[in-house]
Coordinates of all heavy atoms in Angstrom, one line a residue:
V1 N 8.1 -8.4 -5.0 CA 8.5 -7.8 -3.8 C 7.8 -6.4 -3.7 O 7.8 -5.7 -4.7 CB 10.0 -7.6 -3.6 CG1 10.4 -6.8 -2.4 CG2 10.7 -9.0 -3.6
E2 N 7.2 -6.1 -2.6 CA 6.7 -4.8 -2.4 C 7.4 -4.1 -1.3 O 7.6 -4.7 -0.2 CB 5.2 -4.8 -2.1 CG 4.6 -3.4 -1.9 CD 3.1 -3.4 -2.1 OE1 2.4 -4.5 -2.2 OE2 2.5 -2.3 -2.1
T3 N 7.9 -2.9 -1.5 CA 8.6 -2.2 -0.4 C 8.0 -0.8 -0.2 O 7.5 -0.2 -1.2 CB 10.1 -2.0 -0.8 OG1 10.2 -1.3 -2.0 CG2 10.8 -3.4 -0.9
A4 N 8.1 -0.3 1.0 CA 7.7 1.0 1.3 C 8.7 1.6 2.3 O 9.1 0.8 3.2 CB 6.3 1.0 1.9
S5 N 9.0 2.8 2.2 CA 9.9 3.4 3.1 C 9.4 4.8 3.4 O 9.1 5.6 2.5 CB 11.4 3.4 2.7 OG 11.5 4.2 1.5
G6 N 9.4 5.2 4.7 CA 9.0 6.5 5.1 C 7.5 6.8 4.7 O 7.2 7.9 4.5
L7 N 6.7 5.8 4.6 CA 5.4 5.9 4.1 C 4.5 6.6 5.1 O 4.5 6.4 6.3 CB 4.8 4.5 3.9 CG 3.6 4.4 3.0 CD1 3.9 4.9 1.6 CD2 3.1 2.9 2.9
A8 N 3.7 7.5 4.6 CA 2.6 8.2 5.4 C 1.3 7.9 4.8 O 1.1 8.0 3.5 CB 2.8 9.7 5.5
V9 N 0.3 7.4 5.6 CA -0.9 7.0 5.0 C -2.1 7.7 5.7 O -1.9 8.1 6.9 CB -1.2 5.4 5.2 CG1 -0.1 4.7 4.4 CG2 -1.2 5.0 6.6
G10 N -3.1 7.9 5.0 CA -4.3 8.6 5.5 C -5.3 8.8 4.4 O -5.2 8.2 3.3
R11 N -6.4 9.5 4.8 CA -7.5 9.7 3.9 C -7.9 11.2 3.9 O -7.9 11.8 4.9 CB -8.7 8.9 4.3 CG -8.5 7.4 4.2 CD -9.7 6.7 4.7 NE -9.4 5.2 4.8 CZ -10.3 4.3 4.6 NH1 -11.5 4.6 4.2 NH2 -10.0 3.0 4.7
D12 N -8.3 11.6 2.7 CA -8.8 13.0 2.6 C -7.8 14.0 3.1 O -8.1 15.0 3.7 CB -10.1 13.2 3.3 CG -11.2 12.3 2.7 OD1 -11.2 12.0 1.5 OD2 -12.0 11.7 3.5
G13 N -6.5 13.7 2.9 CA -5.4 14.6 3.4 C -5.1 14.5 4.8 O -4.2 15.2 5.3
V14 N -5.8 13.7 5.6 CA -5.5 13.6 7.0 C -4.6 12.4 7.2 O -5.0 11.2 6.9 CB -6.9 13.4 7.8 CG1 -6.6 13.2 9.3 CG2 -7.8 14.5 7.6
I15 N -3.4 12.6 7.7 CA -2.4 11.6 8.0 C -2.8 10.8 9.2 O -3.0 11.4 10.3 CB -1.0 12.2 8.0 CG1 -0.6 12.8 6.7 CG2 0.0 11.1 8.4 CD1 0.7 13.5 6.7
V16 N -2.8 9.5 9.1 CA -3.1 8.7 10.3 C -1.9 7.9 10.8 O -1.8 7.6 12.0 CB -4.3 7.7 10.1 CG1 -5.6 8.4 9.9 CG2 -4.0 6.7 9.0
R17 N -0.9 7.7 9.9 CA 0.4 7.0 10.3 C 1.5 7.5 9.4 O 1.3 7.7 8.2 CB 0.3 5.5 10.2 CG -0.5 4.8 11.2 CD 0.3 4.7 12.5 NE -0.6 4.4 13.6 CZ -0.8 5.1 14.7 NH1 -0.1 6.1 14.9 NH2 -1.6 4.7 15.6
T18 N 2.7 7.7 10.0 CA 3.8 8.2 9.3 C 5.0 7.3 9.6 O 5.0 6.6 10.6 CB 4.2 9.6 9.6 OG1 4.5 9.7 11.0 CG2 3.0 10.6 9.3
G19 N 6.0 7.4 8.8 CA 7.3 6.7 9.0 C 7.2 5.2 8.9 O 8.0 4.5 9.6
L20 N 6.3 4.7 8.1 CA 6.2 3.2 8.0 C 7.1 2.7 7.0 O 7.3 3.2 5.9 CB 4.7 2.9 7.6 CG 3.6 3.4 8.5 CD1 2.3 3.2 7.9 CD2 3.7 2.7 9.9
D21 N 7.8 1.6 7.4 CA 8.7 0.8 6.5 C 8.2 -0.6 6.4 O 7.9 -1.2 7.4 CB 10.1 0.8 7.0 CG 10.7 2.2 7.0 OD1 10.5 3.0 6.1 OD2 11.5 2.5 8.0
V22 N 8.0 -1.1 5.1 CA 7.4 -2.4 4.9 C 8.2 -3.1 3.8 O 8.5 -2.4 2.8 CB 5.9 -2.3 4.5 CG1 5.3 -3.7 4.2 CG2 5.1 -1.6 5.6
A23 N 8.4 -4.4 3.9 CA 9.0 -5.2 2.8 C 8.3 -6.5 2.8 O 8.4 -7.3 3.8 CB 10.5 -5.4 3.0
V24 N 7.6 -6.8 1.7 CA 6.9 -8.1 1.6 C 7.3 -8.7 0.3 O 7.2 -8.1 -0.8 CB 5.4 -7.9 1.6 CG1 4.6 -9.2 1.5 CG2 4.9 -7.1 2.8
S25 N 7.8 -10.0 0.3 CA 8.2 -10.7 -0.9 C 7.0 -11.5 -1.4 O 6.1 -11.9 -0.7 CB 9.3 -11.7 -0.5 OG 10.5 -10.9 -0.2
T26 N 7.1 -11.8 -2.7 CA 6.0 -12.6 -3.3 C 5.9 -13.9 -2.6 O 6.9 -14.6 -2.2 CB 6.4 -12.9 -4.8 OG1 6.6 -11.6 -5.5 CG2 5.4 -13.7 -5.5
G27 N 4.6 -14.3 -2.3 CA 4.4 -15.5 -1.6 C 4.3 -15.4 -0.1 O 3.8 -16.3 0.6
E28 N 4.7 -14.2 0.4 CA 4.7 -14.0 1.9 C 3.3 -13.5 2.3 O 2.6 -12.9 1.5 CB 5.7 -13.0 2.3 CG 7.1 -13.5 2.4 CD 8.1 -12.5 3.0 OE1 7.9 -11.3 2.8 OE2 9.0 -12.9 3.6
L29 N 2.9 -13.7 3.5 CA 1.7 -13.3 4.0 C 2.0 -12.1 5.0 O 2.9 -12.2 5.8 CB 0.9 -14.4 4.8 CG -0.4 -14.1 5.4 CD1 -1.4 -13.7 4.3 CD2 -0.9 -15.3 6.1
L30 N 1.2 -11.0 4.9 CA 1.4 -9.9 5.7 C 0.2 -9.8 6.7 O -0.9 -9.7 6.2 CB 1.5 -8.6 4.9 CG 1.6 -7.3 5.6 CD1 2.9 -7.2 6.5 CD2 1.5 -6.1 4.7
A31 N 0.5 -9.7 8.0 CA -0.6 -9.5 9.0 C -0.3 -8.1 9.6 O 0.8 -7.8 10.0 CB -0.5 -10.6 10.0
I32 N -1.4 -7.3 9.6 CA -1.3 -6.0 10.2 C -2.2 -6.0 11.4 O -3.4 -6.3 11.3 CB -1.8 -4.9 9.2 CG1 -1.0 -5.0 7.9 CG2 -1.8 -3.6 9.8 CD1 -1.6 -4.1 6.8
T33 N -1.6 -5.8 12.6 CA -2.4 -5.8 13.9 C -2.3 -4.5 14.6 O -1.4 -3.7 14.3 CB -1.9 -6.9 14.8 OG1 -0.6 -6.6 15.2 CG2 -1.9 -8.3 14.1
G34 N -3.3 -4.2 15.4 CA -3.3 -3.0 16.2 C -4.7 -2.7 16.7 O -5.7 -3.3 16.2
P35 N -4.8 -1.7 17.5 CA -6.1 -1.3 18.0 C -7.0 -0.7 17.0 O -6.5 -0.2 15.9 CB -5.8 -0.4 19.2 CG -4.5 0.2 18.8 CD -3.8 -0.9 18.1
N36 N -8.3 -0.7 17.3 CA -9.3 0.0 16.4 C -8.8 1.5 16.1 O -8.4 2.1 17.1 CB -10.7 0.0 17.0 CG -11.3 -1.4 17.0 OD1 -10.8 -2.3 16.4 ND2 -12.3 -1.5 17.8
G37 N -8.9 1.9 14.9 CA -8.6 3.3 14.6 C -7.2 3.6 14.4 O -6.8 4.8 14.4
S38 N -6.3 2.6 14.4 CA -4.9 2.8 14.3 C -4.3 2.9 12.9 O -3.1 3.1 12.7 CB -4.1 1.7 15.1 OG -4.3 0.5 14.5
G39 N -5.2 2.7 11.9 CA -4.7 2.9 10.5 C -4.4 1.6 9.8 O -3.8 1.6 8.7
K40 N -4.8 0.5 10.3 CA -4.6 -0.8 9.7 C -5.2 -0.9 8.3 O -4.6 -1.3 7.3 CB -5.1 -2.0 10.5 CG -4.5 -2.1 11.9 CD -5.1 -3.2 12.7 CE -6.6 -3.1 12.9 NZ -7.1 -2.1 13.8
S41 N -6.5 -0.6 8.2 CA -7.2 -0.7 6.9 C -6.6 0.4 5.9 O -6.5 0.1 4.7 CB -8.7 -0.4 7.1 OG -9.3 -1.4 7.8
T42 N -6.3 1.5 6.4 CA -5.7 2.6 5.5 C -4.4 2.1 5.0 O -4.1 2.3 3.8 CB -5.6 3.9 6.3 OG1 -6.9 4.2 6.8 CG2 -5.1 5.0 5.4
L43 N -3.6 1.5 5.8 CA -2.3 1.0 5.3 C -2.5 -0.1 4.3 O -1.9 -0.1 3.2 CB -1.5 0.4 6.5 CG -0.2 -0.3 6.1 CD1 0.8 0.7 5.3 CD2 0.5 -0.8 7.3
G44 N -3.4 -1.0 4.5 CA -3.7 -2.1 3.6 C -4.2 -1.5 2.3 O -3.8 -2.0 1.2
L45 N -5.1 -0.6 2.3 CA -5.6 0.0 1.1 C -4.5 0.8 0.3 O -4.5 0.8 -0.9 CB -6.8 1.0 1.4 CG -8.1 0.3 1.9 CD1 -9.1 1.3 2.4 CD2 -8.7 -0.5 0.8
T46 N -3.6 1.4 1.0 CA -2.5 2.1 0.4 C -1.6 1.1 -0.3 O -1.1 1.3 -1.4 CB -1.8 3.0 1.4 OG1 -2.7 3.9 2.0 CG2 -0.6 3.8 0.8
L47 N -1.2 0.0 0.4 CA -0.3 -1.0 -0.2 C -0.9 -1.6 -1.4 O -0.3 -2.0 -2.3 CB 0.0 -2.0 0.9 CG 0.9 -1.6 2.1 CD1 1.1 -2.7 3.1 CD2 2.2 -1.1 1.6
A48 N -2.3 -1.8 -1.4 CA -3.0 -2.4 -2.5 C -3.2 -1.4 -3.7 O -3.6 -1.8 -4.7 CB -4.3 -2.9 -2.0
G49 N -2.9 -0.1 -3.5 CA -3.0 0.8 -4.5 C -4.4 1.5 -4.6 O -4.7 2.2 -5.6
L50 N -5.3 1.2 -3.6 CA -6.6 1.8 -3.6 C -6.6 3.2 -3.0 O -7.6 3.9 -3.2 CB -7.6 0.8 -2.9 CG -7.6 -0.5 -3.6 CD1 -8.5 -1.5 -2.8 CD2 -8.1 -0.4 -5.0
L51 N -5.6 3.5 -2.3 CA -5.4 4.9 -1.8 C -4.0 5.3 -2.1 O -3.1 4.5 -2.0 CB -5.6 4.9 -0.2 CG -7.0 4.8 0.3 CD1 -6.9 4.7 1.9 CD2 -7.9 6.0 -0.1
P52 N -3.8 6.6 -2.4 CA -2.4 7.0 -2.7 C -1.6 7.2 -1.4 O -2.3 7.7 -0.4 CB -2.6 8.3 -3.4 CG -3.9 8.8 -3.0 CD -4.7 7.6 -2.7
P53 N -0.3 7.0 -1.3 CA 0.4 7.4 -0.1 C 0.5 8.9 0.0 O 0.5 9.6 -1.0 CB 1.8 6.8 -0.4 CG 1.9 6.6 -1.8 CD 0.5 6.4 -2.3
L54 N 0.5 9.4 1.2 CA 0.6 10.8 1.4 C 2.0 11.3 1.4 O 2.3 12.5 1.2 CB -0.2 11.2 2.7 CG -1.7 10.9 2.7 CD1 -2.3 11.3 4.0 CD2 -2.4 11.5 1.5
A55 N 2.9 10.4 1.7 CA 4.4 10.7 1.7 C 5.1 9.4 1.6 O 4.6 8.3 1.9 CB 4.8 11.5 2.9
G56 N 6.4 9.5 1.3 CA 7.3 8.3 1.3 C 7.3 7.6 -0.1 O 6.7 8.1 -1.1
E57 N 8.0 6.5 -0.1 CA 8.2 5.8 -1.3 C 7.5 4.4 -1.3 O 7.6 3.7 -0.2 CB 9.7 5.5 -1.6 CG 10.5 6.8 -1.7 CD 10.2 7.6 -2.9 OE1 9.9 6.9 -4.0 OE2 10.2 8.8 -2.9
L58 N 6.9 4.0 -2.3 CA 6.2 2.8 -2.4 C 6.5 2.2 -3.8 O 6.3 2.8 -4.8 CB 4.6 3.0 -2.2 CG 3.7 1.8 -2.3 CD1 4.1 0.7 -1.3 CD2 2.3 2.2 -2.1
D59 N 6.9 0.9 -3.8 CA 7.2 0.2 -5.1 C 6.8 -1.2 -5.0 O 7.1 -1.9 -4.0 CB 8.7 0.3 -5.3 CG 9.1 -0.4 -6.6 OD1 8.5 -0.1 -7.7 OD2 9.9 -1.3 -6.6
A60 N 6.0 -1.6 -5.9 CA 5.5 -3.0 -6.0 C 6.0 -3.7 -7.3 O 5.8 -3.2 -8.4 CB 4.0 -3.1 -5.9
F61 N 6.7 -4.8 -7.1 CA 7.2 -5.6 -8.3 C 8.1 -4.8 -9.2 O 8.1 -5.1 -10.4 CB 6.0 -6.2 -9.0 CG 5.0 -6.8 -8.1 CD1 3.8 -6.2 -7.9 CD2 5.3 -8.0 -7.5 CE1 2.8 -6.8 -7.1 CE2 4.4 -8.6 -6.7 CZ 3.1 -8.0 -6.5
G62 N 8.8 -3.8 -8.7 CA 9.7 -3.0 -9.5 C 8.9 -2.1 -10.5 O 9.5 -1.5 -11.5
R63 N 7.6 -1.9 -10.3 CA 6.8 -1.1 -11.2 C 6.3 0.2 -10.6 O 5.4 0.8 -11.2 CB 5.6 -2.0 -11.7 CG 6.1 -3.2 -12.4 CD 4.9 -4.1 -12.9 NE 3.9 -3.3 -13.6 CZ 2.6 -3.6 -13.6 NH1 2.2 -4.6 -12.9 NH2 1.7 -2.8 -14.2
G64 N 6.8 0.6 -9.5 CA 6.3 1.8 -8.9 C 5.1 1.6 -8.0 O 4.7 0.5 -7.7
A65 N 4.5 2.7 -7.6 CA 3.4 2.7 -6.7 C 2.1 2.2 -7.4 O 1.7 2.7 -8.4 CB 3.2 4.1 -6.1
P66 N 1.5 1.2 -6.7 CA 0.3 0.6 -7.4 C -0.9 1.6 -7.6 O -1.7 1.3 -8.5 CB -0.1 -0.5 -6.4 CG 1.0 -0.7 -5.5 CD 1.9 0.5 -5.5
H67 N -1.0 2.6 -6.8 CA -2.1 3.6 -7.1 C -2.0 4.3 -8.4 O -2.9 4.8 -9.0 CB -2.2 4.6 -6.0 CG -1.2 5.7 -6.0 ND1 0.1 5.5 -5.5 CD2 -1.3 7.0 -6.4 CE1 0.8 6.6 -5.7 NE2 0.0 7.5 -6.2
R68 N -0.8 4.2 -9.1 CA -0.6 4.8 -10.4 C -0.9 3.8 -11.5 O -0.9 4.2 -12.7 CB 0.8 5.3 -10.5 CG 1.1 6.4 -9.5 CD 2.4 7.1 -9.8 NE 2.8 8.1 -8.8 CZ 2.4 9.3 -8.8 NH1 1.5 9.8 -9.7 NH2 2.8 10.1 -7.8
W69 N -1.1 2.6 -11.2 CA -1.3 1.6 -12.2 C -2.8 1.6 -12.7 O -3.7 2.1 -12.0 CB -1.1 0.2 -11.7 CG 0.3 -0.1 -11.2 CD1 1.4 0.7 -11.1 CD2 0.7 -1.3 -10.5 NE1 2.4 0.1 -10.5 CE2 2.0 -1.2 -10.1 CE3 0.0 -2.5 -10.2 CZ2 2.7 -2.2 -9.5 CZ3 0.7 -3.5 -9.6 CH2 2.0 -3.4 -9.2
R70 N -3.0 1.1 -13.9 CA -4.4 1.0 -14.4 C -5.1 -0.1 -13.5 O -4.4 -1.1 -13.1 CB -4.4 0.6 -15.8 CG -3.9 1.6 -16.8 CD -3.9 1.2 -18.3 NE -3.7 -0.3 -18.5 CZ -4.7 -1.1 -19.0 NH1 -5.8 -0.6 -19.5 NH2 -4.4 -2.4 -19.2
P71 N -6.4 0.1 -13.2 CA -7.0 -0.9 -12.3 C -6.9 -2.3 -12.8 O -6.7 -3.2 -12.0 CB -8.5 -0.4 -12.3 CG -8.4 1.1 -12.5 CD -7.2 1.3 -13.4
P72 N -7.0 -2.7 -14.1 CA -6.9 -4.1 -14.5 C -5.5 -4.6 -14.2 O -5.3 -5.8 -13.8 CB -7.1 -4.1 -16.0 CG -7.9 -2.8 -16.3 CD -7.4 -1.8 -15.2
D73 N -4.5 -3.8 -14.3 CA -3.1 -4.2 -14.0 C -2.9 -4.5 -12.5 O -2.3 -5.4 -12.1 CB -2.1 -3.2 -14.5 CG -2.1 -3.0 -16.0 OD1 -2.5 -4.0 -16.7 OD2 -1.7 -2.0 -16.5
R74 N -3.5 -3.6 -11.7 CA -3.5 -3.8 -10.3 C -4.1 -5.1 -9.9 O -3.6 -5.8 -9.1 CB -4.2 -2.6 -9.6 CG -3.6 -2.1 -8.4 CD -4.1 -0.9 -7.8 NE -5.5 -0.5 -8.1 CZ -5.8 0.7 -8.7 NH1 -4.8 1.5 -9.0 NH2 -7.0 1.0 -9.0
G75 N -5.3 -5.4 -10.4 CA -6.0 -6.6 -10.1 C -5.3 -7.8 -10.5 O -5.3 -8.8 -9.8
R76 N -4.6 -7.8 -11.7 CA -3.9 -9.0 -12.1 C -2.6 -9.2 -11.3 O -2.1 -10.3 -11.2 CB -3.5 -8.9 -13.6 CG -4.7 -9.2 -14.5 CD -4.2 -9.4 -15.9 NE -3.9 -8.1 -16.6 CZ -4.8 -7.3 -17.1 NH1 -6.1 -7.5 -17.0 NH2 -4.4 -6.2 -17.7
S77 N -2.0 -8.2 -10.8 CA -0.7 -8.3 -10.1 C -0.8 -8.6 -8.6 O 0.1 -9.0 -8.0 CB 0.0 -7.0 -10.2 OG 0.3 -6.8 -11.6
M78 N -2.0 -8.3 -8.0 CA -2.1 -8.5 -6.5 C -3.3 -9.4 -6.2 O -4.4 -9.3 -6.8 CB -2.4 -7.2 -5.9 CG -1.2 -6.2 -6.1 SD -1.2 -5.0 -4.9 CE 0.2 -4.0 -5.4
D79 N -3.0 -10.3 -5.3 CA -4.1 -11.3 -4.9 C -4.7 -10.7 -3.6 O -4.1 -10.9 -2.5 CB -3.4 -12.6 -4.6 CG -4.5 -13.7 -4.3 OD1 -5.7 -13.4 -4.5 OD2 -4.1 -14.8 -3.9
L80 N -5.8 -9.9 -3.8 CA -6.4 -9.3 -2.6 C -7.5 -10.1 -2.1 O -8.3 -10.6 -2.7 CB -6.8 -7.9 -3.0 CG -5.7 -7.0 -3.6 CD1 -6.3 -5.7 -4.0 CD2 -4.7 -6.7 -2.5

């Protein structure tokens, strides 16, 4: 299970979305939709641990935020 609450995502310190809450269970498929430039890719990269969240709480599999994991552990734990 991956959960996020009050998540703020962005790049280079620029916040593109705030106040995001997400809960995805193992085996579920997550679809992110929206207009161009709305932060879809940035949210996906943050959930995958490739970008750090700018605010809020993110926990994947009870192991904390994926951006803090070693890259090999991140790769084995997530099917990207």
